Amino acid sequence: MPSSDQAAVPQDVVIHYDVPCTLSDGTVLRADVARPAGEGRWPVILARTPYGKAVAPGFTTDLTHGARHGYVTIIQDVRGRGTSDGKADFQPWVDEGRDGAEVVEWAAALPYSNGRVYMSGPSYLGFVQWAAAAEQPPSLQAINPIVPVGHFNRSFIYCSGVFELELNGYWWTMLGVEELMRRDWDSPEARTEAIARAGALLEALARDGGYNHLPLNRFEPVKHSAQGAQLFALLKNGIDDPSMKASARANEYENITVPALIVAGWYDIFIRGSIDQFVGLRSRGRSDGARTKSRLIVGPWAHHPQSKMTGEQILPGSAAIQALNPFGHMGLAARYFSALDEGEEAAPVKIWIMGANRWRDEQEWPIARTVVTPWYLSSGGQANTSEGDGVLSPQQGSGGPPDAFVYDPANPVPTRGGAVFGVSCVPGGSDQNLIEKRDDILVYTSDILEEEIEVTGTPFVELWVKTDVVDTDFVARLVDVHPDGTARLITDGIIRARYRDDPDDLTRQAEPLEPGKPYLLRIELLPTSNLFKAGHRLQLDVTSSCFPRWARNLNIWDEWGGTLADAKVAHQQVLHDEAHPSRILLPIIPAAS
């Protein structure tokens, strides 16, 4: 293992392309391999991708940087993708545990490997690390999942029982484009036409109306994708689907013996899953190393890239990943792997405090000194729009009459910022003023803060509601209102009311609502960290849709087969009297004395 001094010394590099790896079932996977020039044996950093190892290596693993700093660096196409064999075998997620474990041992046995293998990479490339680690290959030493997908019941497929439409609509359609490129064709013209048609579907998703297709179980763009049938099967089969089983297996932390450096972003689509994985490994990992040496870094980032620009915001240069290491992700990975071997200690958690715009080290997550503090909703019954009378206060008032709004699935509230994939809108802390003019958004705003308040952790909204339909959704957004009126989205969450008892349990028995009956809904917002400065205001927005990020509820029982012709208009009420204290529970970090 290179020391920190050796890791900083550039070396000449030798690159081998399409190096074959034959699996136990005879399938041949191919990888590009970079290694330091000359004779020797070095540790390995392995990345495995479904996106084509030759297409965008900068998004996966930097071959030359790793090799120049003392690592054999490998990027491999997974089964059925890119240059690897098994073109009829690719089922996203399903084979990555078994295949990944075999590839780790193949990499350890290469003539220029010293037998110590590490894994790194973002997104799907993060999932394959967890999947391989759960199989406990002997040569695997540590993993570095970057913006990794977590358990599908809380990350990627669902968020509190609601289908992640924007992400899945694009991702499964995108997979189909690469699949089309691998097919056998009678003529070049037929191939060109098919790929152009698939590309047009991707472009259409980004335009207004691209996600309007119903019913969801025949979502038009995905239906024409080569992977469309797999998504529809996943939605139908639930926990019995092979992809869901692969997700559950990859997140069984009791089976994982290696430590992890997890890199996440407050506005990443997978932030909830990333936090879950860190907490799970630190508390339930199979080895002492997994429990004590795992690390978490969370910046103000979206899914990609991890730079100082996130959506509408341009942050200080210190917010970029290169501020933590000039070589970015690969530099962080190499430093972490070296530190493990050298026994160096570091703070388990490093987070970017938005608002304060600075990094801070912590010893655990959730932070032990957190004080969970309720802030209550109240109004005179007219909290609609940012011009209404909704109030957010740490004191519970008399409450006032309920606030009411109409949710029409034909006119859902548009997604504006947040932890989105970025197909139909930009991610990040977007200004909510444009949509807060709508009557179907309730806005509760605090007085001007006299002292700063730091919210770091996972906020929960306890919302008392009534409706006149059998099922509906409620969305809550925590917003930082600046002195100039900018309403910056900090974090948000959603819940599908039929799954109110346990929205993360995919075996749950859905229960319809009784029209007119009050229900308490507990909405988990995504983890965040933000300093609300003195002179600012806290704000909570409540509505029933965020489209196309989350699939709109048609307010009927058939959530997959329904169309707008079947949809119902819902008349929603939010209660906040003494018997029904609607509130947000804020994880507040006390100011340093």
Side-chain angles (χ1 to χ4, degrees):
M1 188 73 178
S3 70
S4 57
D5 292 336
Q6 292 170 328
V9 179
Q11 302 183 36
D12 290 334
V13 171
V14 175
I15 300 180
H16 309 273
Y17 294 101
D18 290 329
V19 178
C21 165
T22 303
L23 301 178
S24 58
D25 66 357
T27 301
V28 177
L29 308 184
R30 294 178 177 84
D32 293 344
V33 180
R35 61 177 177 84
E39 298 297 321
R41 293 177 180 269
W42 301 272
V44 175
I45 295 179
L46 168 67
R48 306 186 63 248
T49 179
Y51 303 123
K53 59 183 172 55
V55 175
F59 180 62
T60 55
T61 297
D62 187 329
L63 276 173
T64 56
H65 172 74
R68 291 182 68 200
H69 292 77
Y71 291 88
V72 176
T73 310
I74 301 174
I75 305 179
Q76 182 186 72
D77 289 323
V78 302
R79 176 190 297 262
R81 305 291 284 181
T83 58
S84 290
D85 292 349
K87 66 180 181 181
D89 298 341
F90 181 62
Q91 298 182 68
W93 324 103
V94 174
D95 296 308
E96 307 304 357
R98 178 195 61 201
D99 288 358
E102 288 194 34
V103 173
V104 165
E105 296 309 308
W106 165 81
L110 290 170
Y112 32 77
S113 167
N114 71 0
R116 300 174 68 82
V117 180
Y118 304 86
M119 298 185 76
S120 180
S123 197
Y124 191 105
L125 288 75
F127 173 90
V128 302
Q129 298 172 56
W130 290 107
E135 303 303 319
Q136 301 176 21
S139 300
L140 186 62
Q141 306 298 306
I143 60 177
N144 169 221
I146 302 162
V147 291
V149 59
H151 199 302
F152 291 173
N153 65 344
R154 287 173 54 80
S155 175
F156 180 56
I157 300 296
Y158 296 106
C159 180
S160 298
V162 184
F163 182 48
E164 294 271 12
L165 178 62
E166 189 214 32
L167 168 60
N168 282 274
Y170 184 85
W171 190 78
W172 292 87
T173 305
M174 177 188 66
L175 282 186
V177 175
E178 203 272 354
E179 183 68 22
L180 286 171
M181 296 175 69
R182 292 172 57 87
R183 287 186 180 179
D184 296 323
W185 299 94
D186 294 333
S187 69
E189 292 79 9
R191 170 179 173 153
T192 300
E193 181 182 347
I195 293 173
R197 191 164 57 246
L201 289 172
L202 285 174
E203 291 180 11
L205 281 173
R207 297 194 294 266
D208 289 343
Y211 281 94
N212 286 341
H213 301 277
L214 289 171
L216 287 176
N217 61 13
R218 295 195 301 276
F219 188 70
E220 195 72 13
V222 173
K223 187 175 72 171
H224 293 287
S225 163
Q227 263 70 49
Q230 294 172 348
L231 171 60
F232 297 141
L234 186 158
L235 298 177
K236 178 181 178 181
N237 297 332
I239 62 170
D240 295 324
D241 186 82
S243 292
M244 284 293 188
K245 291 180 178 179
S247 169
R249 172 66 174 167
N251 288 275
E252 291 175 350
Y253 310 110
E254 297 85 351
N255 293 323
I256 296 177
T257 61
V258 298
L261 170 62
I262 302 168
V263 181
W266 296 130
Y267 291 110
D268 175 42
I269 48 177
F270 299 141
I271 178 59
R272 178 184 283 176
S274 299
I275 296 288
D276 287 349
Q277 289 170 333
F278 175 75
V279 172
L281 194 56
R282 292 280 297 193
S283 62
R284 305 189 338 250
R286 191 174 182 123
S287 71
D288 180 69
R291 294 189 298 273
T292 62
K293 296 182 179 180
S294 293
R295 303 286 181 262
L296 173 69
I297 297 173
V298 191
W301 309 310
H303 197 58
H304 182 71
Q306 285 75 53
S307 71
K308 68 176 185 178
M309 297 184 65
T310 302
E312 299 175 351
Q313 294 178 280
I314 301 178
L315 300 170
S318 55
I321 193 74
Q322 287 77 13
L324 300 180
N325 190 287
F327 295 102
H329 286 300
M330 180 56 75
L332 280 177
R335 178 64 263 168
Y336 173 69
F337 298 151
S338 296
L340 288 174
D341 191 58
E342 296 164 10
E344 295 181 10
E345 297 295 328
V349 177
K350 180 182 288 291
I351 56 175
W352 177 268
I353 313 300
M354 298 187 293
N357 286 342
R358 59 183 176 86
W359 293 100
R360 189 174 71 213
D361 291 342
E362 294 289 349
Q363 295 303 309
E364 71 281 307
W365 187 275
I367 297 172
R369 63 186 184 280
T370 302
V371 178
V372 178
T373 305
W375 281 56
Y376 295 90
L377 282 60
S378 65
S379 78
Q382 301 293 328
N384 311 73
T385 81
S386 55
E387 303 299 322
D389 63 2
V391 174
L392 184 65
S393 171
Q395 287 80 40
Q396 183 177 2
S398 57
D403 293 301
F405 66 94
V406 175
Y407 162 48
D408 182 356
N411 184 28
V413 174
T415 302
R416 182 161 176 77
V420 297
F421 197 42
V423 178
S424 60
C425 69
V426 296
S430 297
D431 187 355
Q432 301 299 292
N433 275 299
L434 288 178
I435 59 174
E436 286 177 346
K437 307 303 181 186
R438 294 175 55 119
D439 286 339
D440 53 358
I441 299 180
L442 305 179
V443 180
Y444 302 90
T445 308
S446 75
D447 291 336
I448 295 174
L449 298 178
E450 295 183 358
E451 297 180 348
E452 64 186 28
I453 296 175
E454 183 190 323
V455 174
T456 297
T458 300
F460 284 84
V461 174
E462 295 180 343
L463 205 64
W464 282 96
V465 303
K466 289 182 181 180
T467 187
D468 59 352
V469 292
V470 295
D471 186 41
T472 194
D473 294 346
F474 280 90
V475 174
R477 299 190 184 96
L478 179 61
V479 176
D480 184 348
V481 182
H482 293 227
D484 66 358
T486 301
R488 189 76 66 195
L489 174 61
I490 301 303
T491 184
D492 54 4
I494 191 170
I495 193 168
R496 183 142 294 181
R498 70 171 72 192
Y499 302 129
R500 58 195 175 275
D501 292 337
D502 188 351
D504 297 332
D505 181 5
L506 296 181
T507 66
R508 59 196 178 271
Q509 182 66 42
E511 294 289 341
L513 301 171
E514 294 182 29
K517 177 181 176 179
Y519 289 92
L520 175 62
L521 303 181
R522 184 172 169 85
I523 304 174
E524 179 182 354
L525 308 191
L526 299 183
T528 192
S529 179
N530 186 73
L531 182 71
F532 293 83
K533 296 180 179 180
H536 290 221
R537 300 173 187 261
L538 276 77
Q539 186 170 278
L540 186 72
D541 292 353
V542 175
T543 187
S544 282
S545 53
C546 179
F547 182 81
R549 175 183 177 184
W550 290 311
R552 54 191 157 172
N553 198 320
L554 301 181
N555 302 322
I556 60 176
W557 198 244
D558 185 359
E559 61 181 337
W560 299 111
T563 68
L564 281 182
D566 308 308
K568 305 290 185 184
V569 172
H571 298 84
Q572 319 284 53
Q573 292 186 50
V574 172
L575 289 67
H576 39 67
D577 53 53
E578 292 185 5
H580 306 95
S582 291
R583 61 187 186 171
I584 182 171
L585 303 176
L586 294 173
I588 293 178
I589 306 301
S593 58

